[in-house]
């Protein structure tokens, strides 16, 4: 059923469009520097906005004095919450909770929180004037660590926690007070205490992941203008234009049709440009001034806008002496920062996979979304899963070693396979757990000899495997429009931020219609033009939008055939579509253009196909957190690494990286491989060196000078990527999402390789030289003192 | 506000002039005055390479280069390297090796790779990593970019194709 794709293989479908490594449709635009990004947008009469940000982590605002800034020559205006409140009486926004004020009202909850905005025609003038805005704060007790914050009774970040009721699965949440726990999720399946009692060994560990940043190279940017009818037009580098429209319309009390949101190519997203970021603020600025307004963040500001959750994961596992996992209890605390963003969904959607891709009778999971006084955390390539895999796959190796079992065999013995129920009660279907592990074993030559070295450079290898459930329930709608000459436009709200969705969606439409993918024009997300799509996130687009596009193309094809049947007097069932033509039993062929010309008596008209897709879903029971249908598909990713560890400096070098991902069906094998590799290397940065460092809530390394991301020298010499295909019965052509699959398992694979190399275990990322050396010294009974 | 100063230079081979303020960077001026949107400010510290342009044939970070300094110079951006209908060798090789994802860093990568190949027509992996290490790609297409540089080198050697002049020709 599964198979492994070799590089350059052209998989043939009926028309050969799906499975072909079509070069990205926008290739020439990108290499010539002509591709459109909102970063480049300038409008006549446009004002530039610069944000005055909080310098403290938790405080009441006593006074804001904007007079000096307003008097600076060139400054158009300075805006505070007072102005916002005149326009919007309840200016709190957010996807899961309405907790984030457009500008701080009465108090600030993290360093970098927007307090005021300076507007000027010249961006440098606006920037200089922000220094003249005086804000007086009255400090409050801050709280930074997620576990501490979950227990505090004094440092409360939000007086009242207000769920938004947006998502079907979070609708039942009630407001809370006097706690920093925004939301919690619990799963109970089987008797965990009995399992621990019956186990030969019980292992208990705590793992931590640090706070990191997406850092798309196109910084987050929004431009808003008021149209001649007094409506809003928002140009924004957003992964979720439909959501932005709904949320801005809600804030203003307007119907959706008064807000238009459009995007272009995104210069990277990774989750940073999701839901709503600058859009509410910039819309307000445009409405208050009547002028187009642009806000383009600096790299530094990105660190204060959205981040990835730091997380503490406590994991307790009971096993038999021959290596059968009987029970597992996992408690996870997610550091959501000052505003919930999508943290509550991470808490639940990722929370329920915390026991890993293993077949365990008794599982109990507790997952807490916790507010702190740090910059907000949201979704970053994996939606919390990499933090969980870090814990359970590190522990998997620890257990295997303790029991004297081969780590790969131990995994195989406990692996959750198709047909078996996951801890949630959802039966695993069409998921490549076995296939990914087997492929990892082969590529790593796992049972072959491996030289560990004896000198200052020691070698080791490790593997890990992770599973992710696609977020559900979500909806995608697509239109296929065949124009009067027979050429085709595809209207879909999936945002191409580098993942190659334009190309993949064009391939799907082309395959159905018998056209070449290169000839399908993909119209970018514009809520006045393209239909609803929940968002480009969580590796959902290939599956959800892919299905919508396929259905839209099928609909257009059916309409063309019906039109042709009427024109020729033949039965629709006797007609077939080949190479973009409707063909009659006697061999006559009509192009879509010819059919339209005949229909309208001249080159005119359209054939419109509509497709929409929303998978079945059953929300987790409030009693035990279980659901028989919790996800439309599972993603499975495995990573193998070979490392060299310098025992004198503590530096880990990954010499070989093997990334294996189950694509279901690789619609475009070239792009799928690039996605797997890119995700893997990004995760390598989060594993080895990326870390937001804080001092009283201030990010002390908020620049690319101090916060290093992977560069040319960090990429392993051997960077092997392997696609596994276990087709999904509901995926378009069997395809599943792949954008995060490479991120899932890398961190523990490296820690496992580290232990293989030098015998020490590290429980916290990043695996910096200092941490490695400290662990090594501790192992040798020669511990370093903390500074 | 400071006094504006008029500077004259050649941009992708064409003579241009513009009044600039002393604090304005080359990125600001190329975008504001000439809509050269391939030149992008990202990190703002000369560390990511998204703003790479040539001044008198040498690659510089446009975000750190004061615009007044290009008076009487040759300035070249990726717009001067190739167009849709006439891609440069390096641009062609980037497409063949799928050496980009979001494309935001790509113009800078193309500029740097071109200068690398001018100096080292047959670069080793090590030379490529070293030379390109000032350019970052958050999508992490590094493996593919290295392959693309080798591919461009091959196109030059086997097919006798040449790189665009680093001072730019009129486009």
């Amino acid at each position: 059923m599964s198979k492994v794709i070799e590089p350059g293989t052209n998989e043939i479908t009926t028309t050969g469009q799906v499975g072909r490594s079509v070069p990205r449709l926008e290739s020439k635009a990108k290499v010539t520097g002509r591709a459109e990004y909102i970063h480049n947008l300038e409008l006549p009469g446009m004002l530039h906005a610069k944000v005055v940000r909080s310098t403290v982590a938790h405080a009441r605002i006593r006074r804001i004095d904007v007079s000096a800034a307003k008097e600076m020559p060139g400054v158009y205006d300075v805006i505070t919450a007072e102005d916002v409140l005149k326009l919007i009486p309840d200016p709190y926004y957010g996807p899961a909770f309405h907790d984030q004020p457009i500008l701080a009202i009465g108090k600030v909850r993290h360093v970098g929180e927007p307090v005021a905005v300076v507007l000027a025609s010249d961006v440098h003038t606006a920037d200089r004037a922000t220094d003249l805005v005086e804000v007086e704060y009255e400090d409050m007790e801050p709280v930074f660590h997620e576990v501490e914050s979950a227990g505090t009774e004094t440092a409360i970040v939000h007086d009242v926690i207000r769920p938004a009721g947006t998502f079907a699965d979070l609708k039942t949440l009630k407001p809370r007070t006097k706690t920093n726990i925004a939301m919690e999720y619990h799963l109970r399946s089987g008797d965990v205490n009995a399992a621990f009692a019956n186990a030969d060994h019980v292992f208990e560990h705590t793992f931590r992941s640090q706070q990191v940043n997406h850092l798309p190279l196109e910084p987050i940017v929004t431009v808003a203008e008021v149209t001649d009818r007094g409506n809003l037009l928002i140009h924004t580098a957003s992964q979720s234009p439909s959501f932005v429209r709904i949320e801005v319309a809600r804030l203003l009390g307007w119907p959706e049709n008064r807000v238009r949101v459009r995007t272009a190519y995104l210069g990277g997203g990774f989750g940073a440009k999701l839901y709503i970021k600058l859009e509410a603020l910039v819309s307000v600025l445009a409405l208050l001034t009547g002028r187009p307004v642009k806000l383009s963040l600096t790299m530094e500001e990105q660190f204060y806008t959205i981040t990835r959750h730091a997380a503490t994961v406590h994991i307790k596992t009971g096993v038999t002496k021959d290596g059968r996992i009987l029970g597992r209890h996992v408690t996870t605390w997610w550091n959501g920062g000052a505003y919930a963003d999508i943290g509550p969904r991470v808490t639940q959607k990722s929370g329920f996979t915390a026991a890993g891709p293993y077949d365990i009778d008794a599982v109990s999971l507790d997952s807490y979304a916790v507010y702190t006084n740090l910059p907000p955390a949201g979704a970053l390539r994996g939606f919390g899963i990499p933090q969980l895999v870090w814990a359970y796959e590190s522990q998997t190796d620890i257990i295997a070693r303790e029991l004297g079992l081969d780590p790969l065999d131990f995994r195989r013995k406990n692996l959750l396979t198709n047909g078996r129920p996951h801890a949630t009660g959802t039966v695993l279907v069409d998921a490549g757990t076995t296939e990914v592990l087997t492929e990892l074993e082969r590529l790593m030559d796992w049972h072959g000899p491996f030289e560990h070295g004896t000198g200052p450079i020691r070698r080791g290898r490790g593997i890990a495997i992770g599973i992710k459930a696609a977020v559900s329930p979500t909806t995608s709608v697509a239109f296929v429009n065949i124009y009067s000459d027979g050429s085709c436009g595809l209207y879909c709200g999936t945002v191409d931020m580098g993942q190659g969705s334009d190309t993949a969606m064009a391939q799907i439409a082309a395959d159905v219609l018998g056209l070449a993918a290169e000839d399908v024009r993909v119209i970018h997300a514009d809520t006045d033009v393209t239909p609803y799509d929940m968002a480009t996130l969580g590796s959902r687009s290939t599956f959800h939008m892919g299905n919508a596009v396929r259905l839209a193309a099928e609909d257009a094809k059916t309409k063309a055939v019906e039109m042709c049947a009427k024109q020729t007097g033949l039965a629709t069932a006797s007609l077939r579509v080949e190479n973009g033509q409707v063909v009659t039993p006697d061999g006559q062929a009509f192009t879509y253009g010819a059919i339209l010309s005949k229909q309208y008596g001249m080159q005119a008209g359209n054939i419109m196909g509509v497709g929409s897709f929303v998978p079945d879903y059953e929300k987790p029971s409030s009693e035990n957190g279980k659901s028989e249908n919790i996800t439309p598909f599972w993603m499975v990713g495995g990573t193998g690494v070979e490392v060299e560890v310098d025992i004198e400096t503590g530096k880990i070098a990954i010499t070989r990286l093997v990334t294996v991902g189950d694509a279901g069906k690789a619609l475009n094998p070239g792009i799928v491989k690039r996605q797997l590799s890119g995700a893997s290397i990004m995760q390598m940065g989060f594993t080895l060196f990326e870390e937001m460092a804080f001092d009283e809530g201030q990010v002390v390394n908020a620049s690319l000078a101090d916060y290093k991301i992977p560069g040319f020298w960090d990429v392993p010499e051997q960077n092997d990527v392997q696609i596994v295909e276990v087709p999904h019965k509901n995926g378009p052509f069997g395809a599943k999402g792949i954008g995060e699959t490479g991120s899932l398992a890398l961190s523990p694979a490296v820690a496992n390789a580290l232990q293989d190399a030098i015998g020490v275990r590290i429980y916290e990322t990043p695996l910096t030289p200092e941490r490695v050396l400290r662990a090594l010294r501790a192992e040798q009974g020669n511990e370093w003192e903390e500074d | 506000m400071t006094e504006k100063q008029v500077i004259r230079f050649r941009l992708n081979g064409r003579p241009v002039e513009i009044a600039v303020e002393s604090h304005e960077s080359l990125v600001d001026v190329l975008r504001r005055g000439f809509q050269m949107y391939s030149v992008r400010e990202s990190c703002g510290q000369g560390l990511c390479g998204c703003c790479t342009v040539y001044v008198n044939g040498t690659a510089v970070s446009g975000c750190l280069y004061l615009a007044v300094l290009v008076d009487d110079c040759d300035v070249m951006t990726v717009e001067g390297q190739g167009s849709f209908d006439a891609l440069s060798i390096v641009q062609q090789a980037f497409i063949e090796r799928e050496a980009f994802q979001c494309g935001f860093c790509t113009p800078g990568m193309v500029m740097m790779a071109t200068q690398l190949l001018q100096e080292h027509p047959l670069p080793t992996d090590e030379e490529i990593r070293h030379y390109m290490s000032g350019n970052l790609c958050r999508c992490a297409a590094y493996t593919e970019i290295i392959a693309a540089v080798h591919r461009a080198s091959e196109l030059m050697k086997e097919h006798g194709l040449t790189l665009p002049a680093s001072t730019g020709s009129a486009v």
Side-chain angles (χ1 to χ4, degrees):
Chain A
M1 166 140 114
S2 72
K3 66 183 156 24
V4 172
I5 298 271
E6 293 307 325
T9 303
N10 282 344
E11 282 296 308
I12 306 303
T13 59
T14 36
T15 63
Q17 295 304 313
V18 157
R20 184 161 72 93
S21 287
V22 179
R24 288 167 198 275
L25 301 182
E26 73 286 5
S27 290
K28 286 185 179 179
K30 284 184 174 170
V31 298
T32 58
R34 268 83 163 180
E36 186 197 3
Y37 302 93
I38 301 301
H39 183 78
N40 298 341
L41 183 66
E42 291 176 46
L43 296 172
M46 186 174 84
L47 295 169
H48 289 272
K50 277 285 174 186
V51 179
V52 179
R53 293 177 181 277
S54 170
T55 52
V56 291
H58 197 193
R60 281 194 188 82
I61 299 171
R62 275 217 187 114
R63 188 179 62 92
I64 304 175
D65 184 353
V66 300
S67 53
K70 273 191 175 176
E71 279 163 25
M72 185 172 148
V75 168
Y76 183 86
D77 206 350
V78 184
I79 306 295
T80 65
E82 209 175 304
D83 307 294
V84 176
L85 285 162
K86 286 176 200 153
L87 199 63
I88 303 174
D90 189 26
Y92 291 87
Y93 66 88
F97 289 30
H98 295 154
D99 61 356
Q100 196 157 2
I102 290 175
L103 288 172
I105 302 172
K107 87 177 242 187
V108 288
R109 297 179 177 86
H110 69 94
V111 174
E113 176 161 3
V115 173
V117 174
V118 177
L119 293 162
S121 301
D122 173 75
V123 69
H124 301 290
T125 304
D127 195 20
R128 278 194 293 271
T130 59
D131 294 338
L132 302 179
V133 175
E134 279 183 42
V135 187
E136 201 180 306
Y137 297 104
E138 178 188 332
D139 283 335
M140 296 168 72
E141 181 191 352
V143 61
F144 301 118
H145 195 281
E146 59 276 7
V147 179
E148 188 193 330
S149 181
T152 185
E153 287 174 2
T154 52
I156 300 298
V157 182
H158 291 267
D159 296 337
V160 182
I161 298 171
R162 306 192 308 168
T166 310
F167 297 108
D169 52 312
L170 300 182
K171 265 199 167 53
T172 47
L173 284 182
K174 299 276 183 297
R176 300 173 156 213
T177 56
K178 293 183 184 148
T179 176
N180 287 332
I181 297 174
M183 187 201 144
E184 52 199 281
Y185 167 78
H186 305 284
L187 183 142
R188 297 289 178 263
S189 176
D191 188 343
V192 174
N193 291 329
F196 291 148
N198 293 332
D200 296 315
H201 304 275
V202 176
F203 295 88
E204 223 174 324
H205 298 96
T206 301
F207 296 89
R208 189 161 193 275
S209 297
Q210 79 284 27
Q211 196 168 5
V212 295
N213 204 275
H214 312 67
L215 296 184
L217 289 188
E218 177 199 29
I220 301 171
V221 54
T222 298
V223 182
E225 58 182 310
V226 182
T227 69
D228 54 354
R229 300 275 301 273
N231 297 333
L232 268 172
L233 168 51
I234 305 170
H235 314 259
T236 182
S238 170
Q239 297 173 230
S240 47
S242 296
F243 182 82
V244 169
R245 174 162 76 165
I246 289 170
E247 189 66 345
V248 171
R250 181 190 68 80
L251 285 163
L252 290 164
W254 288 7
E256 278 187 52
N257 69 5
R258 291 192 60 193
V259 180
R260 175 181 173 195
V261 182
R262 61 171 293 273
T263 63
Y265 289 109
L266 263 55
F270 317 110
K273 298 171 179 172
L274 261 179
Y275 301 109
I276 177 161
K277 291 293 174 287
L278 310 179
E279 291 89 353
L281 173 59
V282 182
S283 295
V284 164
L285 297 174
L287 287 167
L288 287 173
T289 59
R291 299 264 298 264
V293 175
K294 182 175 190 175
L295 174 55
S296 183
L297 298 189
T298 62
M299 194 55 79
E300 182 184 9
E301 287 177 294
Q302 294 208 93
F303 286 90
Y304 290 105
T305 303
I306 191 70
T307 68
R308 190 184 82 166
H309 289 81
T312 298
V313 183
H314 180 261
I315 178 165
K316 182 176 176 184
T317 304
V319 290
T320 61
K321 56 180 181 289
D322 63 343
R324 181 76 214 157
I325 305 176
L326 298 180
R328 177 165 278 179
H329 176 74
V330 188
T331 309
T332 310
W333 294 267
W334 304 95
N335 193 328
Y339 295 104
D341 197 84
I342 204 60
R345 281 202 127 195
V346 170
T347 302
Q348 185 206 89
K349 301 288 173 192
S350 300
F352 70 69
T353 71
Y358 298 111
D359 197 336
I360 308 173
D361 279 343
V363 171
S364 129
L365 308 173
D366 299 308
S367 184
Y368 300 96
V370 186
Y371 283 119
T372 62
N373 294 111
L374 291 173
L380 197 174
R381 212 167 194 168
F383 233 77
I385 301 290
Q387 294 96 308
L388 294 171
V389 185
W390 163 241
Y392 66 68
E393 280 298 82
S394 289
Q395 199 193 44
T396 301
D397 258 46
I398 294 172
I399 297 172
R401 280 172 186 280
E402 285 290 325
L403 298 181
L405 300 172
D406 177 84
L408 197 142
D409 294 340
F410 176 56
R411 285 179 170 84
R412 179 171 284 135
K413 183 172 188 141
N414 290 287
L415 204 60
L416 189 67
T417 53
N418 289 321
R420 293 285 304 157
H422 175 262
T424 49
T426 299
V427 173
L428 204 70
V429 176
D430 298 340
T433 47
T434 306
E435 290 79 358
V436 167
L437 193 64
T438 302
E439 202 46 27
L440 212 49
E441 180 179 28
R442 182 182 74 83
L443 291 164
M444 293 295 288
D445 186 21
W446 188 254
H447 298 290
F450 187 80
E451 180 52 56
H452 285 86
T454 51
I457 305 290
R458 302 292 169 84
R459 300 183 69 245
R461 59 181 175 165
I463 53 156
I465 178 170
I467 191 168
K468 178 177 188 284
V471 180
S472 194
T474 65
T475 300
S476 289
V477 185
F479 299 157
V480 161
N481 188 350
I482 298 176
Y483 304 130
S484 59
D485 65 349
S487 64
C488 173
L490 171 58
Y491 297 64
C492 83
T494 296
V495 178
D496 200 325
M497 49 191 180
Q499 81 279 36
S501 54
D502 279 9
T503 311
M505 297 305 162
Q507 286 178 261
I508 292 172
D511 207 283
V512 173
L513 292 166
L515 305 170
E518 289 85 344
D519 293 335
V520 174
R521 160 118 192 275
V522 182
I523 286 86
H524 282 163
D526 177 340
T527 57
D528 263 15
V529 179
T530 53
Y532 177 87
D533 178 47
M534 184 265 184
T536 303
L537 63 80
S539 308
R540 66 175 290 281
S541 301
T542 294
F543 191 91
H544 295 75
M545 184 57 82
N547 267 319
V549 168
R550 184 179 58 82
L551 293 168
E554 293 283 1
D555 188 33
K557 185 164 91 173
T558 301
K559 285 174 175 159
V561 168
E562 281 168 358
M563 222 178 247
C564 187
K566 276 194 187 148
Q567 291 167 359
T568 56
L570 296 165
T572 48
S574 71
L575 302 174
R576 62 186 198 279
V577 171
E578 248 174 42
N579 297 325
Q581 296 179 311
V582 181
V583 182
T584 64
D586 63 355
Q588 285 190 80
F590 301 93
T591 62
Y592 299 126
I595 294 167
L596 276 166
S597 284
K598 196 160 186 182
Q599 188 75 11
Y600 295 100
M602 58 184 288
Q603 186 174 328
N606 301 76
I607 299 172
M608 288 285 295
V610 181
S612 78
F613 182 76
V614 54
D616 294 334
Y617 171 73
E618 184 190 310
K619 76 174 186 179
S621 126
S622 53
E623 192 186 319
N624 59 15
K626 295 180 76 164
S627 156
E628 286 187 4
N629 192 1
I630 203 147
T631 184
F633 69 96
W634 300 90
M635 285 162 251
V636 184
T639 302
V641 295
E642 293 177 10
V643 301
E644 286 183 359
V645 184
D646 185 328
I647 57 173
E648 289 169 355
T649 65
K651 187 172 164 59
I652 301 172
I654 299 175
T655 51
R656 183 170 183 229
L657 174 58
V658 176
T659 307
V660 183
D662 171 17
K665 162 74 186 170
L667 300 177
N668 183 320
I671 292 178
V672 167
K673 291 188 89 164
R674 307 285 99 80
Q675 278 291 291
L676 286 169
S677 169
S680 198
I681 292 167
M682 187 175 209
Q683 187 64 28
M684 189 189 73
F686 300 152
T687 305
L688 292 180
F689 41 81
E690 290 186 39
E691 177 168 30
M692 289 174 66
F694 291 95
D695 181 8
E696 289 299 304
Q698 179 97 29
V699 188
V700 297
N701 59 345
S703 79
L704 282 184
D706 300 307
Y707 181 102
K708 294 290 185 188
I709 66 171
F712 274 94
W713 282 116
D714 299 304
V715 176
E717 262 176 51
Q718 261 187 290
N719 177 22
D720 301 330
V721 179
Q722 194 67 54
I723 300 169
V724 166
E725 291 188 323
V726 178
H728 194 284
K729 61 178 180 177
N730 296 330
F733 303 90
K736 303 166 192 167
I738 198 80
E740 303 158 305
T741 305
S743 302
L744 304 182
L746 183 131
S747 301
V750 177
N752 295 341
L754 177 71
Q755 183 165 20
D756 186 49
I758 61 170
V760 304
R761 173 58 56 176
I762 293 181
Y763 300 87
E764 183 169 3
T765 48
L767 306 173
T768 57
E770 183 183 335
R771 280 216 173 95
V772 172
L773 268 192
R774 280 187 186 282
L776 200 55
R777 299 277 294 237
E779 184 80 6
Q780 295 160 348
N782 182 18
E783 221 156 318
W784 263 339
E785 282 172 29
E786 293 287 334
D787 346 294
Chain B
M1 285 295 107
T2 49
E3 284 293 300
K4 286 200 175 188
Q5 180 184 336
V6 174
I7 57 169
R8 294 176 185 81
F9 58 101
R10 282 161 303 283
L11 176 58
N12 295 325
R14 286 185 191 279
V16 295
E17 71 169 53
I18 187 169
V20 300
E21 290 182 51
S22 55
H23 66 268
E24 280 188 289
S25 71
L26 189 50
V27 175
D28 286 344
V29 168
L30 290 175
R31 293 170 67 91
R32 171 174 73 76
F34 307 101
Q35 291 73 50
M36 292 288 135
Y37 293 124
S38 74
V39 190
R40 295 157 189 165
E41 180 159 329
S42 178
C43 75
Q45 294 179 302
L47 296 161
C48 70
C50 289
C51 59
T52 305
V53 296
Y54 300 155
V55 174
N56 289 342
T58 301
V60 302
S61 291
C63 72
L64 296 185
Y65 208 92
L66 289 175
V68 287
L69 298 177
V70 304
D71 193 26
D72 203 30
C73 292
D74 278 302
V75 175
M76 187 182 183
T77 69
V78 90
E79 281 89 345
Q81 286 235 344
S83 63
F84 268 54
D85 303 324
L87 295 175
S88 77
I89 294 171
V90 174
Q91 289 167 332
Q92 183 60 41
F94 266 61
I95 293 176
E96 286 183 24
R97 292 295 175 265
E98 304 179 60
F100 50 88
Q101 294 188 19
C102 82
F104 200 77
C105 71
T106 310
M109 291 284 180
V110 168
M111 295 297 281
M112 214 57 203
T114 303
Q115 185 170 288
L116 159 65
L117 288 163
Q118 280 159 350
E119 292 175 18
H120 306 275
L122 285 170
T124 61
D125 272 14
E126 175 114 346
E127 280 169 331
I128 298 170
R129 284 177 191 246
H130 179 70
Y131 206 97
M132 304 285 291
S133 62
N135 290 67
L136 296 172
C137 170
R138 192 52 159 162
C139 306
Y142 298 112
T143 306
E144 294 80 19
I145 294 169
I146 293 170
V149 175
H150 286 305
R151 174 63 183 151
S153 167
E154 193 179 287
L155 287 169
M156 286 162 64
K157 189 171 153 231
E158 290 176 12
H159 303 276
L161 299 175
T162 51
L163 297 166
S166 57
T167 48
S169 50
V171 287

